[in-house]
Amino acid sequence: MNQHSICKFIVGSILLFSTVSGLAQKVSVSKPWSVRMAESEMIRTPKGWQLDFSTAPKWNYCHGLVLQSMMDVYDRYGDRKFYDYALAYADTMVQNDGSIMTYKVEDYTYDRLNSGKILFRIYEQEKKEKYKKAMDMLRTQFDGHPRNDDGSFWHKKSYPNQVWLDGVYMSLPYYAEYAFRNNDVEVYKDIVNQFAMVAKHTYDAQNDVYRHACDVSKRQKWADPVTGQSQHCWGRAMGWFSMACVDVLDYMPVHEPGREQILAILNKLAKQMKNRQDAKTGVWYQVIDRSGDEGNYLEATCSTMFVYTLLKAVRKGYIDPSYMEVAEKGYRGILKEFVKVDDNGVVSIEKCCAVAGLGGKNNRSGDYQYYLNEPIRANDPKAVGPFILASLEWERLPKSPISSVNPQAGDTLVVARDGTGQYRTLAEAIERVRVFMDYDVTIFVKKGIYKEKLIVPEQLQNVEIVGEDRDETIITFDDHANINKMGTFRTYTLKVMGNNLTFRNLTIENNAPQMGQAVALHTEGDCIKFINCRFLGNQDTIYTGGRYARLYFKNCYIEGTTDFIFGPATALFEDCHIHCKRNSYITAASTPAEVKYGYVFKKCKITAADSVTKMYLGRPWRPYGYTLFMECEMGDFMAPEGWHNWGKKTNEETARYLEYNNTGKGADKKGRVAWSRQLTKKEVEEITAENMFGTGYKWVLE
């Protein structure tokens, strides 16, 4: 570690200690198991680099596993300390040039890749270039990593020709997520081949299990001279393999050729878990193919991994729902057999195999006695992380007595990340209301960060969603158009399909990096109100869909870079604050020719970042785009011409671009394009909510 790194490490440690030192040394037993275990681990290891019983910082898979689970807890429950814990580790390990302490590409070891997964979310939040450089560097390892003739990766450069079940989890989820986020679609074929080859090399058809590893060259002492396989199915190796399946599938497009091969492997693994589950306890043995034999023991790391896999796979529809019974029995078994709570509420998980491998400098034989005699300890990260992940899946299940109550007319349903409401996520509350949409229902959302990609379905009507505090009740997601050719219209954070809906006191955010279109709000429904809301994003922040839809925005804050209010709907923006973040265009209306009104901005304030010097009020996405700014305040950053024809001279003959009585230096009429128009007072008197929205306009006032 060089002097700069040591200084940075010390500073990072001090900052982290100041973050965690405020954490009480007691853990509330009223909290969900995922939170309790995460808080307990932070008490045991106040600094993230101390995970895996480390005495010095290192970049290794165990750190990534636990920190990923911590960030998942943050995503679900909104407590910032879990994110900050992961961030402090990343900030210590990743240098300004993108290099990573203790990591070298040329070592070509799978075990150094898994921690890279935490950087995707950290880069999205922090926007620091060093994290992107680090992710790109990790990606290059796949280009030079040694392979067998069939394309399968070696587990390590120092383990020639060997494929291990462990290595699939260490590498392929990162490989898949990087491909998904960077539109590297050719990688999917390689990922499918990796799964297929590892399964081929390690599957033991006679016993219907996957062996720990295979030496394709058949030279290792531990390898069968005929098959090259190791002697046994080690529980944790099978656990790594199964988790790799469900995590990679998150980033494999549904119609990607070969995806069904991964699903087939996952279904075979699920069957093996069911067949090898201990009937009495519901958990699993250290050596799976010798379950119940003398000396074998029930082991925590594989059991937590199996339960996480099964719960997630059932939820995602990858395996038959009947496996929920296996998962439930397994989760309850983990709590009974392995989980202990001390007098302060601190949670521990016991009976964890510390480590196991094959060959290497210790010439590990991989026979039955070898696996039984490896050290056993408590709170190994390879159980802590999967237990948190499994608990998060368990906590998603609709089993709360409160959540089973049917909403009634006039009801208020409460959503709270901290568990003090009836629901922990908006998605759960919306799903409950969806079934009983005949009633007027209010969903009250307590302060917190809700990382959710939400759809309010078209069946929902007469529902009001109200935040506790506009600035602190945040719905956020981070999809953007360049992820796997996603395109603009699937990037939404919130998509509203229903009619007669009201949203109040909320922040709707698309937190994607500035890498193209990234929609925060996408509407398709009719008669939708947004009162005192914030919309945060960059390009294409708000898409107002619906050819004849009607929308009303009151006292809202809307920010973006390019075309950040766009679409065909009729929308009235009243007393709103529009903030421009980059030289570009505010609106891109696509109003149909037969629709009289498009966008009307009334008494709005338009501001801009200091760097903005030339902002246009709008350009027509379609020829008959309609946009009116009336009685609005705008600064000198506004382009004198005001409007742009999108590079099409013919748009000047059809676009309806209007202004009335605007103020500020940016409202100067002298430089405006000749094909825009200043309205008269008489014309403006006709532009009312009633005329814009028709005889049913009173939904605006209600």
Side-chain angles (χ1 to χ4, degrees):
M1 197 185 305
N2 60 35
Q3 186 174 3
H4 171 76
S5 299
I6 292 171
C7 292
K8 184 175 179 183
F9 162 62
I10 293 171
V11 171
S13 298
I14 292 171
L15 289 173
L16 179 56
F17 180 76
S18 67
T19 299
V20 179
S21 60
L23 180 68
Q25 299 302 298
K26 290 188 176 182
V27 177
S28 171
V29 297
S30 66
K31 293 180 179 180
W33 280 111
S34 63
V35 176
R36 293 168 67 184
M37 179 59 87
E39 289 186 347
S40 299
E41 190 66 2
M42 289 173 68
I43 290 171
R44 284 188 288 268
T45 55
K47 303 172 181 64
W49 63 264
Q50 295 173 320
L51 290 165
D52 198 25
F53 310 94
S54 301
T55 57
K58 66 177 180 179
W59 184 260
N60 206 14
Y61 66 92
C62 285
H63 296 76
L65 173 63
V66 175
L67 295 174
Q68 173 200 354
S69 72
M70 296 254 186
M71 289 200 294
D72 285 353
V73 173
Y74 163 66
D75 285 346
R76 181 164 178 80
Y77 296 112
D79 191 330
R80 176 81 187 190
K81 68 173 177 276
F82 299 118
Y83 174 81
D84 288 342
Y85 184 73
L87 173 61
Y89 173 77
D91 201 39
T92 296
M93 300 302 295
V94 180
Q95 310 302 293
N96 288 334
D97 62 358
S99 62
I100 302 172
M101 290 167 57
T102 75
Y103 171 80
K104 295 179 181 178
V105 173
E106 58 270 22
D107 288 344
Y108 291 116
T109 172
Y110 265 173
D111 291 348
R112 302 293 185 265
L113 291 168
N114 185 58
S115 285
K117 292 186 298 186
I118 70 173
L119 299 181
F120 293 114
R121 279 182 279 184
I122 288 174
Y123 174 60
E124 289 164 358
Q125 295 290 323
E126 305 303 317
K127 307 297 192 297
K128 290 184 179 179
E129 192 65 19
K130 71 173 186 175
Y131 296 124
K132 185 176 188 305
K133 290 178 179 178
M135 290 186 290
D136 292 342
M137 177 183 62
L138 291 169
R139 168 63 180 82
T140 65
Q141 180 174 325
F142 294 98
D143 297 332
H145 200 99
R147 298 174 183 250
N148 293 306
D149 290 341
D150 58 16
S152 56
F153 288 122
W154 296 2
H155 187 66
K156 300 179 181 179
K157 184 173 70 173
S158 58
Y159 291 175
N161 305 113
Q162 298 174 39
V163 292
W164 293 25
L165 293 183
D166 318 27
V168 181
Y169 179 83
M170 306 309 164
S171 58
L172 297 190
Y174 181 83
Y175 200 19
E177 186 168 358
Y178 187 97
F180 182 80
R181 290 175 177 271
N182 292 276
N183 198 28
D184 192 1
V185 295
E186 294 303 313
V187 162
Y188 295 130
K189 291 184 290 188
D190 193 20
I191 291 171
V192 170
N193 186 60
Q194 297 304 320
F195 274 99
M197 290 301 101
V198 170
K200 174 185 175 183
H201 289 308
T202 61
Y203 183 59
D204 173 5
Q206 182 175 351
N207 295 298
D208 188 29
V209 292
Y210 289 99
R211 303 280 186 99
H212 186 173
C214 176
D215 172 21
V216 177
S217 68
K218 305 172 186 176
R219 293 193 294 259
Q220 292 294 314
K221 291 182 179 180
W222 53 260
D224 185 283
V226 177
T227 65
Q229 294 177 351
S230 60
Q231 296 181 47
H232 293 289
C233 173
W234 177 40
R236 185 156 77 231
M238 184 171 149
W240 289 126
F241 194 34
S242 63
M243 289 202 304
C245 289
V246 292
D247 288 356
V248 162
L249 285 168
D250 285 342
Y251 301 103
M252 288 285 288
V254 174
H255 302 296
E256 184 66 30
R259 189 173 188 269
E260 67 280 358
Q261 292 179 253
I262 301 175
L263 285 168
I265 293 168
L266 175 58
N267 275 268
K268 185 174 287 189
L269 285 162
K271 181 181 177 182
Q272 293 169 5
M273 294 175 207
K274 180 179 180 179
N275 291 341
R276 305 281 177 162
Q277 185 177 36
D278 182 58
K280 181 179 178 181
T281 65
V283 294
W284 287 264
Y285 281 88
Q286 162 79 339
V287 183
I288 296 295
D289 55 309
R290 297 285 299 272
S291 295
D293 285 1
E294 183 179 356
N296 209 353
Y297 63 93
L298 299 171
E299 200 275 328
T301 66
C302 72
S303 297
T304 53
M305 291 177 179
F306 291 163
V307 170
Y308 165 65
T309 297
L310 291 168
L311 287 171
K312 183 173 180 178
V314 169
R315 173 171 65 86
K316 291 276 194 173
Y318 300 150
I319 59 177
D320 192 272
S322 63
Y323 283 104
M324 180 56 72
E325 183 178 345
V326 182
E328 181 176 353
K329 186 175 182 179
Y331 189 74
R332 296 188 188 281
I334 290 167
L335 294 178
K336 183 177 180 180
E337 296 294 322
F338 305 132
V339 173
K340 306 297 179 186
V341 182
D342 70 14
D343 292 340
N344 291 320
V346 175
V347 181
S348 292
I349 187 162
E350 300 180 342
K351 298 182 184 177
C352 309
C353 173
V355 65
L358 295 163
K361 62 183 180 181
N362 297 323
N363 196 25
R364 296 165 293 188
S365 66
D367 63 12
Y368 183 55
Q369 289 302 318
Y370 162 73
Y371 288 110
L372 301 187
N373 289 314
E374 283 290 69
I376 300 171
R377 61 189 178 189
N379 300 318
D380 190 284
K382 298 176 283 292
V384 170
F387 176 73
I388 293 172
L389 295 172
S391 296
L392 286 167
E393 289 292 334
W394 181 259
E395 289 151 21
R396 296 177 69 117
L397 298 175
K399 54 185 177 294
S400 165
I402 298 176
S403 67
S404 66
V405 176
N406 296 344
Q408 301 295 318
D411 273 359
T412 296
L413 309 182
V414 179
V415 178
R417 293 298 300 271
D418 61 5
T420 57
Q422 295 154 286
Y423 307 92
R424 294 185 184 271
T425 68
L426 267 161
E428 291 166 335
I430 289 170
E431 176 62 22
R432 197 65 197 160
V433 175
R434 184 186 66 81
V435 184
F436 302 97
M437 68 277 189
D438 293 337
Y439 298 113
D440 294 349
V441 174
T442 297
I443 299 174
F444 179 72
V445 188
K446 288 192 175 183
K447 290 186 288 187
I449 298 174
Y450 299 81
K451 187 171 183 182
E452 302 186 56
K453 190 177 181 73
L454 287 172
I455 295 179
V456 178
E458 57 188 347
Q459 300 97 323
L460 244 67
Q461 299 190 39
N462 307 314
V463 174
E464 184 166 1
I465 300 178
V466 182
E468 182 178 4
D469 181 283
R470 184 187 79 161
D471 297 334
E472 296 187 51
T473 308
I474 302 169
I475 306 169
T476 184
F477 212 74
D478 47 36
D479 278 344
H480 58 82
N482 293 326
I483 295 178
N484 193 37
K485 299 183 179 179
M486 181 176 289
T488 302
F489 302 106
R490 288 185 289 163
T491 64
Y492 57 84
T493 295
L494 172 65
K495 184 175 184 179
V496 184
M497 307 288 287
N499 305 322
N500 296 299
L501 302 169
T502 300
F503 298 81
R504 297 181 191 271
N505 308 334
L506 298 165
T507 291
I508 315 297
E509 175 188 52
N510 189 311
N511 193 37
Q514 293 191 30
M515 298 177 65
Q517 298 93 329
V519 175
L521 172 68
H522 176 149
T523 65
E524 293 289 347
D526 187 30
C527 298
I528 306 171
K529 290 190 296 186
F530 299 92
I531 312 297
N532 193 39
C533 292
R534 290 195 307 162
F535 302 92
L536 309 182
N538 294 301
Q539 184 174 350
D540 293 358
T541 304
I542 293 178
Y543 172 61
T544 61
R547 190 176 181 89
Y548 304 112
R550 296 162 293 176
L551 310 172
Y552 180 58
F553 296 80
K554 175 75 172 178
N555 293 329
C556 290
Y557 172 87
I558 305 167
E559 69 172 28
T561 57
T562 299
D563 302 336
F564 58 94
I565 304 171
F566 73 111
T570 296
L572 173 59
F573 300 83
E574 195 166 22
D575 299 311
C576 292
H577 181 177
I578 313 298
H579 185 68
C580 311
K581 298 168 67 175
R582 192 173 65 197
N583 287 339
S584 199
Y585 314 89
I586 296 174
T587 66
S590 57
T591 321
E594 70 277 14
V595 174
K596 187 173 182 179
Y597 299 103
Y599 293 153
V600 175
F601 295 84
K602 182 178 181 181
K603 296 182 179 179
C604 294
K605 181 178 181 179
I606 305 171
T607 61
D610 292 341
S611 59
V612 176
T613 58
K614 192 172 185 179
M615 197 74 193
Y616 291 88
L617 293 169
R619 57 178 180 169
W621 183 26
R622 295 292 183 267
Y624 290 90
Y626 177 109
T627 304
L628 163 64
F629 284 84
M630 54 187 292
E631 300 177 287
C632 294
E633 176 188 342
M634 54 190 73
D636 59 2
F637 52 83
M638 198 61 62
E641 53 267 49
W643 308 90
H644 194 278
N645 65 9
W646 205 309
K648 296 179 181 179
K649 190 73 175 176
T650 55
N651 283 340
E652 298 179 8
E653 300 172 8
T654 53
R656 296 169 283 177
Y657 280 166
L658 312 165
E659 295 181 65
Y660 173 76
N661 201 28
N662 294 318
T663 60
K665 293 182 178 180
D668 193 337
K669 307 172 187 176
K670 294 178 183 177
R672 289 295 192 258
V673 293
W675 44 277
S676 69
R677 195 160 68 85
Q678 298 286 330
L679 295 183
T680 66
K681 183 178 180 180
K682 184 176 181 180
E683 288 175 311
V684 166
E685 288 174 351
E686 297 180 2
I687 302 175
T688 63
E690 182 176 6
N691 288 337
M692 286 183 65
F693 299 136
T695 55
Y697 82 99
K698 290 186 179 179
W699 60 270
V700 174
L701 307 176
E702 293 171 352

